[in-house]
Amino acid sequence: MPELRPCTFGCCPASSRHMKLLPRRAHLRHHHDKALLLKKYYKWILWSALSIYLFFSTSSSSSSSSSLFRPLPLRTSLPLKTTPRALAEAQQLSSFTTSSAAAALRIYVYELPSSYNRDWLSNPRCRNHLFASEVAIHEALLEYPGRVFDPNEADFFFVPVYVSCNFSTPNGFPALHHARPLISSAVRFISAGLPFWNRSRGRDHVFVASHDFGACFHAMEDVAIADGIPEFMRESIILQTFGVSSPHPCQQAENVLIPPYVTPDIEEQWPAPEKAKRDIFAFFRGKMEVHPKNISGRFYSKRVRTEILRRYGGNKKFYLQRKRFDGYRAEIARSVFCLCPLGWAPWSPRLVEAVALGCVPVVIADGIRLPFPEAVRWPEISLSVAEADVGRLEEVLDRVAATNLSAVQRNLWDPARRNALLFHQPMAAGDATWHALRALEGKLGRSWRRRRQPGDTAWR
């Protein structure tokens, strides 16, 4: 008479656990039940083994993937604050994901002597003024997951030189006379020790030129045009704030248009744009010369700001102020329309400040190119008025206020649009540095490493 072994893995019914012997008369039934039991047992073993195999094979394949192809670990909320507004915007920004191409973009950041960059940070303004994107982008790339430490693996080479932190002029604006010799010295340094600049003539090297007229390094357009872009930079890629739709000597190098720097905490200092009380119809605070011809004989703002002051200075709908005021951003947050006329250059930080605080930008700068048009979609959130049509400005604003203002504001208050114009630390999904990297993806044909891949034998 066979003996039944104890059940294992809890597969047997409770009553059978107490059975020691099987009656002879149930011999045939016993063999039938035992066969069913063994069948269930082996099914359980097979299923467990398959689950364990799948678990470990998935973990193994994930861990073995190159970190360059993982999604960027980008935060989707602003630091230090967990306000309902920040959390709500984080949920919307979480829809951004890093494309596989962005994750694969490999950047080598040159480690230059501190005299080219870090020493300038002794002045706190270096991190926060309107040209400070050169600092913000450098710091973001130091933490970028696609940063490589072997230059042979790089698609692009970033040259971190801070040229906008020499605040030695009487008016407090940065002096740029040292920019050319400082960058030239940096190029000599990197080309003497490594072969990568010389092998491509700098075509896969990236600089930041966040000044009035980009890499022409001068605030006066006529001088900038006469000087032009330094010869040694003309083959490189320039991340610059200056851009116009017509040919211009200061954008002849390959370039990516970026926004001027505005501190990313700007939007956390006031109520959310859709909740702000807007009791100012049209706002502008800044330099407006009664007599625009300066001592050099040049006309500031092509007389546009002077014309705005002359026509609307006494108009109660227009809040126009000529003097500096540290709290001017509170005025932007209270305004429906924010005038953004050209100065010496066509671009202005007012564009970013207006968008960040929910005030409709009114761009008065003929032929200006604006950053990241695919992401921001400027025609949906701003107005453009020709310089010659300043006399019709009130008419234009009244018409928009009476027709489609609510639609424009609804588009403008989309957090993704604001995010695209701000440089976060660390880099955030969909922010300004993120979009600059996306733009660089489109220039991978300039990469020596990509050019050397099989089947690709010529510069594109």
Side-chain angles (χ1 to χ4, degrees):
M1 184 168 57
E3 180 178 84
L4 183 66
R5 295 179 182 178
C7 294
T8 57
F9 297 101
C11 295
C12 298
S15 59
S16 67
R17 297 193 197 112
H18 304 290
M19 295 173 63
K20 298 292 183 179
L21 299 173
L22 193 68
R24 184 179 300 271
R25 66 179 177 269
H27 182 71
L28 294 176
R29 183 180 174 185
H30 160 67
H31 281 289
H32 176 72
D33 290 345
K34 185 176 181 181
L36 290 176
L37 178 64
L38 290 174
K39 185 176 181 182
K40 290 177 67 175
Y41 172 81
Y42 286 118
K43 271 188 176 181
W44 193 93
I45 291 291
L46 181 61
W47 175 251
S48 300
L50 181 61
S51 299
I52 293 170
Y53 169 79
L54 290 174
F55 173 81
F56 283 104
S57 63
T58 302
S59 301
S60 175
S61 62
S62 297
S63 62
S64 63
S65 299
S66 169
S67 62
L68 293 173
F69 292 90
R70 296 173 188 163
L72 285 174
L74 303 177
R75 61 181 176 82
T76 54
S77 60
L78 294 174
L80 304 179
K81 300 208 176 189
T82 54
T83 60
R85 176 182 172 191
L87 291 173
E89 295 187 359
Q91 291 174 353
Q92 295 185 54
L93 293 179
S94 66
S95 62
F96 283 102
T97 56
T98 305
S99 68
S100 58
L105 189 67
R106 302 182 179 193
I107 297 180
Y108 179 81
V109 180
Y110 282 107
E111 295 184 5
L112 300 178
S114 62
S115 57
Y116 291 102
N117 40 59
R118 292 299 179 189
D119 287 355
W120 294 100
L121 296 178
S122 58
N123 187 330
R125 283 187 65 195
C126 189
R127 289 183 181 274
N128 299 315
H129 68 114
L130 76 163
F131 300 143
S133 57
E134 61 186 8
V135 180
I137 292 173
H138 179 204
E139 292 183 342
L141 291 181
L142 291 176
E143 300 181 30
Y144 168 55
R147 179 189 178 191
V148 295
F149 294 90
D150 180 355
N152 292 291
E153 298 178 356
D155 296 315
F156 293 114
F157 297 80
F158 183 75
V159 188
V161 183
Y162 303 167
V163 301
S164 303
C165 295
N166 183 4
F167 301 102
S168 61
T169 58
N171 60 12
F173 290 114
L176 294 176
H177 61 269
H178 71 298
R180 292 169 186 266
L182 189 64
I183 295 179
S184 176
S185 171
V187 170
R188 288 195 300 272
F189 179 86
I190 63 178
S191 59
L194 294 169
F196 306 104
W197 173 276
N198 293 328
R199 76 179 184 183
S200 69
R201 305 184 304 280
R203 285 176 58 89
D204 50 7
H205 283 58
V206 181
F207 297 85
V208 178
S210 53
H211 324 102
D212 294 77
F213 293 97
C216 286
F217 300 117
H218 203 282
M220 301 292 108
E221 185 172 16
D222 56 340
V223 179
I225 290 174
D227 291 346
I229 298 172
E231 185 76 31
F232 60 86
M233 293 180 69
R234 291 180 185 176
E235 295 293 323
S236 299
I237 302 172
I238 315 294
L239 309 183
Q240 61 185 56
T241 47
F242 171 72
V244 290
S245 56
S246 57
H248 195 286
C250 297
Q251 60 182 16
Q252 286 182 341
E254 191 73 22
N255 63 83
V256 172
L257 203 61
I258 60 173
Y261 185 82
V262 171
T263 53
D265 63 349
I266 178 174
E267 55 184 350
E268 291 297 305
Q269 299 170 6
W270 287 273
E274 62 273 15
K275 297 179 180 178
K277 179 182 178 182
R278 301 191 182 275
D279 56 350
I280 298 173
F281 182 71
F283 170 74
F284 179 80
R285 181 183 287 276
K287 185 176 181 180
M288 290 182 288
E289 301 289 2
V290 176
H291 304 290
K293 190 173 183 179
N294 69 2
I295 192 170
S296 67
R298 301 180 180 92
F299 286 94
Y300 182 67
S301 185
K302 298 181 181 178
R303 301 187 178 91
V304 168
R305 296 191 187 187
T306 298
E307 187 66 9
I308 291 172
L309 179 64
R310 186 182 72 81
R311 285 182 175 269
Y312 305 108
N315 189 322
K316 293 184 179 180
K317 288 184 178 180
F318 288 75
Y319 185 70
L320 307 177
Q321 299 294 321
R322 299 174 59 197
K323 294 183 178 180
R324 291 179 180 272
F325 173 52
D326 289 341
Y328 74 97
R329 286 180 175 174
E331 297 170 328
I332 294 176
R334 293 169 48 199
S335 302
V336 177
F337 298 103
C338 287
L339 308 186
C340 302
L342 72 163
W344 289 119
W347 63 271
S348 163
R350 291 178 184 84
L351 279 165
V352 178
E353 291 170 326
V355 173
L357 297 175
C359 180
V360 178
V362 183
V363 182
I364 311 172
D366 292 353
I368 187 174
R369 284 195 301 132
L370 298 173
F372 312 138
E374 297 83 4
V376 180
R377 300 191 297 279
W378 289 97
E380 297 178 6
I381 67 168
S382 66
L383 307 178
S384 292
V385 176
E387 295 166 15
D389 290 337
V390 166
R392 298 179 52 243
L393 186 56
E394 182 179 8
E395 173 191 341
V396 171
L397 300 186
D398 283 342
R399 184 172 66 250
V400 172
T403 56
N404 64 329
L405 176 60
S406 59
V408 173
Q409 289 178 323
R410 190 163 53 250
N411 294 330
L412 175 64
W413 296 342
D414 175 5
R417 317 244 188 164
R418 299 195 296 273
N419 191 51
L421 300 176
L422 298 173
F423 296 89
H424 291 294
Q425 293 296 335
M427 179 170 53
D431 80 349
T433 307
W434 189 91
H435 281 290
L437 292 179
R438 289 291 302 274
L440 284 177
E441 292 173 22
K443 303 182 186 300
L444 279 170
R446 302 176 66 89
S447 166
W448 175 271
R449 185 179 79 89
R450 298 294 178 115
R451 185 179 75 92
R452 299 291 291 177
Q453 291 177 351
D456 193 356
T457 58
W459 287 114
R460 286 176 283 175

